[in-house]
Amino acid sequence: MTQKLRVGIIGCNGIARGKHMASLKKLAEVEMVAFCDIVESAAISARADFGNEDGKVYTDYRELLQDASIDVVHICTPNDTHAEITVAALEAGKHVMCEKPMDKTVAGAKAMVEAARRTGKKLSIGYQNRFRSDSRYLHEICERGDLGHIYYAKAHAIRRRAVPTWGVFLDEEKQGGGPLIDIGTHALDLTLWMMNNYKPKLVVGTTHHQLGKMKNAANAWGPWDPEKFTVEDSAFGFIVMQDGATIVLESSWALNSLQTGEAKCTLSGTKGGADMLNGLRINGEDLGRLYTREIELEGKGVDFYDGSTESAADLEARSWIRSILEDTEPVVKPEEALVVTEILQAIYDSAKTGEAIYFDESGQRR
């Protein structure tokens, strides 16, 4: 391994620019040396902004993977390509950070996990919300046992009107779904991580394509085209785990609701509860009295000092690179991301069939 980790970026627009490359550029241990996009101008622009004049540009990811000097690749392409590119990158001897969701299919996600095990290379998935300050604090509380056994939870991913109208977000073939697989995946990942429970028993789900049929609709990014809106606009899941714990998952890009918020969870345990709905709040009972505690996360308290300003994306990148350099497990393990994909697929399948989807004790669908 070289003094600096040499990183290749596959997919150079959207999340690659907004999160991956912007955060990697801040790390002294990293050098971005290769940029690949099927639109060559996107790769050239990324090299100009985040690489150097020696950086290589590709339009075919296979050519990038042939460069033996590249240690790590970040995959920021549409969901239907995640498994194909990840498996190829792992087999080419690269460590892989793949954007969420793991893949649009369970079969693809399983192939990714198996390739990581087979090659011994590290694989992680871009669930950056685990690195927010409220998420990290709540996770420590859960690990310490402050909430006891968490047996009921809600995973929140509700937008009132914020349908992404660019790229392939509305294309079911490319993405595998709409808000459930896009933002519901973050909420479910957070919830399972807090509960440390990755053994589903049964899943019931519904999906709706209601507001997506509207023309000239109010929307954060301008009206969507109903003819191109081929995914659900909202989806809901009821998940029972093997130990009886219950999770309600709610997701939407467009819903007539004033209760909004995404990548958040509500937890109820035998000793206490917590929610992220209005800041981070912990609730419980002490000496015969109920209490609610609001957690201050800004790190303030000293004049002229506002605490750490490291974003969740920056911390995700730093933690990921450190896991490679120090040969430790990444925070987001591929086996955990696989369970998220399995549950999301079960919600979609249940919505189509009208029947519950069951899992056996080993985690396999019946």
Side-chain angles (χ1 to χ4, degrees):
M1 184 166 298
T2 57
Q3 185 175 3
K4 285 189 175 184
L5 286 176
R6 293 169 58 85
V7 178
I9 307 296
I10 302 176
C12 294
N13 278 316
I15 198 71
R17 277 187 164 273
K19 186 181 81 166
H20 292 262
M21 291 187 285
S23 294
L24 288 171
K25 191 172 183 179
K26 298 175 183 178
L27 299 176
E29 306 93 336
V30 164
E31 181 181 11
M32 285 177 275
V33 298
F35 304 85
C36 179
D37 199 285
I38 58 174
V39 178
E40 187 176 31
S41 60
I44 292 173
S45 177
R47 178 181 63 180
D49 293 340
F50 299 101
N52 55 51
E53 60 183 17
D54 295 326
K56 296 180 180 179
V57 167
Y58 301 91
T59 56
D60 187 335
Y61 76 85
R62 299 171 187 85
E63 294 180 6
L64 181 150
L65 296 181
Q66 290 175 7
D67 185 344
S69 72
I70 294 176
D71 305 302
V72 186
V73 296
H74 281 226
I75 298 171
C76 308
T77 57
N79 297 346
D80 66 336
T81 65
H82 285 183
E84 173 190 328
I85 300 175
T86 295
V87 171
L90 291 167
E91 291 180 342
K94 321 300 184 189
H95 302 291
V96 176
M97 164 64 78
C98 180
E99 246 311 310
K100 63 78 192 168
M102 198 167 195
D103 189 65
K104 76 169 193 174
T105 69
V106 170
K110 286 183 176 179
M112 294 164 72
V113 171
E114 291 166 0
R117 290 174 178 167
R118 183 173 65 252
T119 62
K121 293 299 176 180
K122 296 188 186 301
L123 169 63
S124 192
I125 308 301
Y127 285 116
Q128 75 275 0
N129 288 288
R130 291 195 189 190
F131 296 89
R132 298 190 327 238
S133 57
D134 58 343
S135 302
R136 288 183 285 121
Y137 187 96
L138 181 54
H139 187 250
E140 287 190 34
I141 283 177
C142 293
E143 280 200 317
R144 196 169 63 184
D146 291 22
L147 304 187
H149 170 57
I150 302 170
Y151 59 90
Y152 179 62
K154 291 183 179 180
H156 308 282
I158 296 292
R159 295 177 183 173
R160 185 182 181 188
R161 291 290 192 284
V163 177
T165 53
W166 64 90
V168 296
F169 280 101
L170 303 183
D171 186 334
E172 183 176 12
E173 182 63 28
K174 293 288 187 183
Q175 290 296 94
L180 179 62
I181 202 169
D182 178 41
I183 57 177
T185 189
H186 277 301
L188 181 58
D189 174 70
L190 268 185
T191 304
L192 297 176
W193 188 51
M194 298 300 175
M195 299 173 74
N196 191 26
N197 193 340
Y198 290 93
K199 296 181 178 180
K201 181 178 182 180
L202 72 89
V203 175
V204 176
T206 60
T207 60
H208 300 273
H209 186 81
Q210 304 292 338
L211 303 186
K213 302 173 184 177
M214 296 174 59
K215 295 182 178 179
N216 301 315
N219 188 47
W221 294 291
W224 55 80
D225 182 350
E227 297 298 321
K228 296 181 179 178
F229 204 135
T230 63
V231 296
E232 81 278 1
D233 49 47
S234 60
F236 309 92
F238 184 83
I239 305 146
V240 179
M241 309 304 282
Q242 290 287 342
D243 65 357
T246 304
I247 301 169
V248 174
L249 170 59
E250 53 182 19
S251 64
S252 75
W253 283 339
L255 189 71
N256 289 321
S257 173
L258 296 178
Q259 282 192 324
T260 60
E262 57 186 274
K264 297 183 178 182
C265 62
T266 298
L267 308 173
S268 298
T270 53
K271 295 181 180 179
D275 71 69
M276 297 169 151
L277 300 179
N278 185 22
L280 179 57
R281 302 182 298 182
I282 313 298
N283 68 81
E285 177 182 355
D286 191 27
L287 298 176
R289 295 287 188 268
L290 299 177
Y291 68 82
T292 302
R293 189 168 74 245
E294 297 183 3
I295 309 301
E296 295 183 7
L297 296 163
E298 292 80 7
K300 295 183 179 180
V302 178
D303 288 344
F304 312 114
Y305 178 68
D306 290 334
S308 173
T309 58
E310 188 172 34
S311 69
D314 289 351
L315 184 54
E316 176 190 50
R318 181 162 60 84
S319 174
W320 161 240
I321 294 302
R322 181 178 295 171
S323 75
I324 297 170
L325 293 173
E326 299 179 358
D327 193 21
T328 57
E329 277 194 312
V331 171
V332 181
K333 302 174 183 65
E335 294 81 5
E336 296 169 347
L338 170 59
V339 175
V340 174
T341 296
E342 289 175 326
I343 292 174
L344 296 180
Q345 185 62 61
I347 292 173
Y348 281 126
D349 290 347
S350 174
K352 289 177 181 177
T353 64
E355 299 179 353
I357 306 298
Y358 290 89
F359 295 77
D360 62 26
E361 291 184 358
S362 68
Q364 301 299 311
R365 276 178 61 162
R366 296 179 180 174

